[in-house]
């Protein structure tokens, strides 16, 4: 059986599912540089243990924490006897150390990125990023925009392999959208009183742009409830909601399990991610898998790749509450059933099974 080595920061749920799936056809070893307990931005209930389809190794001797973790112990794992070595990302100290070491020893490896937004075109930061991006012998990326990101910083486009980024299996995609009656019943069971529902999922951090959504809510119809799910809102958000007199219109719900989120996706009419920046944004995939139209920003790579204006949603500029409310109102007044089905069609190829298939081509090419 072919052997694949991954280096990543921590065991996010979608990666665990992917490693398990890939482990059905290859011997997979995954090195983690960060420890769960140091990740203050992640609820412990968010993590998944996996089904034992791969070997997970917590690197020892870590210096620092979070994205600044440096693990010299990674060096003992970097050998030529793997059929493919894949480094997730390029900016963590451990990833940089591993890439420099393999480049020095002539060990071929791939760099994998989940997405990317171009920020620099010159200057020292650009030169450093260009140096790091050019270290691998090949690249894995999630679509045309991330590929453009890599080639902008010096990757050889002929050596870039694109894969469909996903957090779910084929079986998780709904066969059809829920009927209006089914949505109504779900909302009743969940204690949602509004006739129509906009769902947003994510942490209450500045980057996610939920403050923009709050300001946009003032211009939405009175029968629309907005539910922001996934974390605890701090005083800044609760105060803004109070100032805008939105306590009855905008609801802050904390962490929900995957099963609970599935119910919310099916109960909703529209999904909104008002992010200021997301190098991908897997919640967009998830919303589409449940047959939802999506309204997100032009700085969300998942939206740029998967959302087609007027077909299954729309993209709006960041920081623009008026544009966001206009986009949401356009979708709410459109044929949302047609848009939901368009999302289902679009997302069919974005599954963990498809991800694994593409990654297996790397070891097949080596043969």
């Amino acid at each position: 059986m072919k052997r694949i080595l991954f280096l990543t920061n921590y065991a996010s749920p979608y990666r665990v599912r992917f490693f398990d799936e890939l482990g059905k056809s290859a011997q997979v070893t995954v090195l983690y540089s960060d420890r769960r307990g140091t990740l203050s931005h992640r609820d412990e209930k968010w993590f998944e243990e996996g089904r034992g389809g791969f070997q997970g190794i917590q690197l020892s001797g870590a210096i620092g924490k979070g994205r600044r973790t440096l693990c010299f112990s990674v060096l003992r794992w970097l050998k030529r006897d793997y059929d493919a070595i894949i480094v997730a990302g390029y900016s963590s100290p451990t990833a940089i150390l591993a890439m420099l070491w393999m480049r020095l020893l002539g060990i071929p490896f791939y760099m994998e990125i989940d997405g990317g937004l171009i920020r620099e075109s010159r200057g020292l930061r650009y030169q450093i990023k260009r140096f790091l991006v050019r270290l691998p012998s090949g690249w894995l990326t999630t679509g045309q925009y991330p590929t453009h990101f890599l080639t902008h910083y010096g990757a050889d486009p002929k050596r870039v392999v694109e894969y469909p980024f996903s957090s779910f299996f084929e079986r998780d995609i709904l066969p059809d959208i829920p009927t209006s009656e089914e949505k109504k019943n779900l909302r009743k069971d969940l204690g949602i009183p509004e006739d129509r529902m906009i769902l947003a999922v994510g942490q209450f951090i500045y980057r996610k742009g939920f403050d923009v959504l709050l300001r946009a809510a003032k211009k939405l119809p009175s029968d629309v409830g907005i539910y922001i799910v996934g974390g605890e809102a701090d005083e800044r958000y609760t105060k803004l909601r109070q100032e805008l007199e939105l306590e009855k219109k905008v609801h802050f719900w904390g962490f929900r399990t995957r099963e609970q989120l599935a119910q919310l996706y099916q109960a909703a009419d529209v999904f909104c991610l008002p992010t200021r920046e997301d190098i991908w944004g897997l919640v967009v995939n998830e919303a589409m898998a449940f047959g939802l139209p999506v309204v997100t920003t032009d700085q969300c790579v998942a939206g740029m790749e998967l959302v087609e204006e007027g077909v299954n949603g729309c993209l709006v500029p960041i920081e623009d509450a008026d544009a966001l409310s206009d986009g949401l109102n356009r979708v709410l007044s459109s044929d949302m059933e047609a848009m939901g089905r368009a999302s289902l069609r679009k997302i069919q190829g974005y599954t963990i099974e498809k991800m694994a298939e593409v990654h297996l081509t790397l070891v097949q090419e080596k043969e």
Side-chain angles (χ1 to χ4, degrees):
M1 184 176 281
K2 296 294 182 178
R3 302 179 67 206
I4 302 176
L5 178 70
F6 280 86
L7 170 62
T8 189
N9 49 0
Y10 56 86
S12 57
Y14 62 88
R15 284 293 180 187
V16 167
R17 297 171 209 143
F18 162 67
F19 293 142
D20 270 335
E21 181 67 22
L22 188 62
K24 295 177 181 178
S25 303
Q27 183 179 328
V28 178
T29 302
V30 184
L31 308 178
Y32 302 121
S33 59
D34 301 348
R35 291 186 178 277
R36 281 192 195 179
T38 66
L39 304 171
S40 59
H41 65 298
R42 292 298 184 190
D43 191 298
E44 184 64 25
K45 292 179 289 185
W46 179 76
F47 292 93
E48 294 181 12
E49 298 304 324
R51 299 182 178 180
F54 66 98
Q55 181 184 22
I57 305 292
Q58 182 67 60
L59 292 173
S60 60
I63 301 173
K65 64 180 181 178
R67 294 181 179 181
R68 298 181 295 276
T69 300
L70 174 61
C71 301
F72 285 99
S73 59
V74 70
L75 300 181
R76 71 171 70 109
W77 292 90
L78 306 177
K79 304 174 182 178
R80 293 179 181 273
D81 54 352
Y82 290 98
D83 296 285
I85 298 177
I86 300 171
V87 178
Y90 59 86
S91 59
S92 77
T94 303
I96 293 171
L97 173 64
M99 291 191 298
L100 289 172
W101 183 257
M102 288 188 285
R103 185 64 181 262
L104 178 66
L105 298 182
I107 300 173
F109 67 96
Y110 291 88
M111 175 189 293
E112 179 173 286
I113 64 169
D114 294 344
L117 292 163
I118 296 171
R119 289 288 177 252
E120 301 87 17
S121 295
R122 59 176 64 88
L124 180 60
R125 286 174 61 90
Y126 169 78
Q127 293 299 333
I128 293 173
K129 193 172 291 188
R130 181 174 172 84
F131 170 75
L132 295 173
V133 166
R134 296 175 69 187
L135 287 174
S137 48
W139 298 264
L140 283 153
T141 188
T142 51
Q144 60 175 329
Y145 290 99
T147 293
H148 178 57
F149 170 88
L150 285 174
T151 56
H152 174 79
Y153 291 108
D156 180 355
K158 296 179 181 178
R159 301 288 297 166
V160 176
V161 177
E162 294 182 1
Y163 67 93
F165 193 28
S166 183
S167 59
F168 48 79
F169 296 95
E170 292 176 6
R171 63 177 180 270
D172 297 321
I173 301 175
L174 289 186
D176 197 4
I177 62 172
T179 65
S180 58
E181 189 64 24
E182 287 171 333
K183 285 182 179 290
K184 181 180 178 180
N185 290 334
L186 271 171
R187 287 198 285 267
K188 182 179 179 181
D189 291 341
L190 292 166
I192 295 171
E194 294 89 356
D195 293 331
R196 293 184 290 177
M197 174 186 173
I198 294 172
L199 176 65
V201 177
Q203 298 169 285
F204 280 89
I205 54 177
Y206 177 79
R207 180 170 58 85
K208 294 300 181 181
F210 291 141
D211 56 314
V212 182
L213 179 55
L214 283 169
R215 292 193 293 272
K218 293 290 289 186
K219 293 187 176 181
L220 297 178
S222 58
D223 68 336
V224 175
I226 299 172
Y227 289 77
I228 306 176
V229 180
E232 297 302 325
D234 61 29
E235 185 180 357
R236 173 179 47 181
Y237 294 97
T238 55
K239 185 176 180 180
L240 179 59
R241 181 177 63 174
Q242 184 178 16
E243 290 174 352
L244 295 171
E245 298 180 341
L246 293 170
E247 291 96 333
K248 294 182 179 180
K249 190 182 189 70
V250 178
H251 310 272
F252 298 153
W253 285 13
F255 177 84
R256 293 295 186 271
T257 65
R258 196 177 180 204
E259 293 74 20
Q260 291 169 329
L261 272 176
Q263 288 185 309
L264 288 166
Y265 279 123
Q266 293 177 79
D269 296 294
V270 180
F271 182 79
C272 181
L273 179 62
T275 180
R276 291 178 167 92
E277 176 184 282
D278 255 293
I279 63 169
W280 185 259
L282 276 169
V283 287
V284 170
N285 297 55
E286 292 168 4
M288 291 173 62
F290 286 99
L292 287 179
V294 173
V295 178
T296 186
T297 70
D298 57 6
Q299 295 299 299
C300 173
V301 177
M304 296 157 67
E305 292 279 348
L306 298 172
V307 177
E308 187 175 350
E309 178 71 34
V311 176
N312 68 321
C314 66
L315 301 181
V316 300
I318 63 169
E319 304 281 7
D320 193 332
D322 289 335
L324 182 58
S325 62
D326 288 345
L328 288 167
N329 279 319
R330 285 201 310 274
V331 173
L332 286 166
S333 61
S334 69
D335 186 344
M336 289 189 291
E337 289 188 0
M339 282 193 167
R341 290 193 173 95
S343 283
L344 285 177
R345 290 193 298 271
K346 181 73 173 179
I347 208 66
Q348 290 298 318
Y350 286 78
T351 66
I352 288 173
E353 290 94 339
K354 296 293 185 182
M355 281 180 64
E357 285 180 17
V358 174
H359 282 73
L360 285 171
T361 64
L362 304 179
V363 295
Q364 292 166 358
E365 286 177 359
K366 187 172 180 180
E367 292 177 338

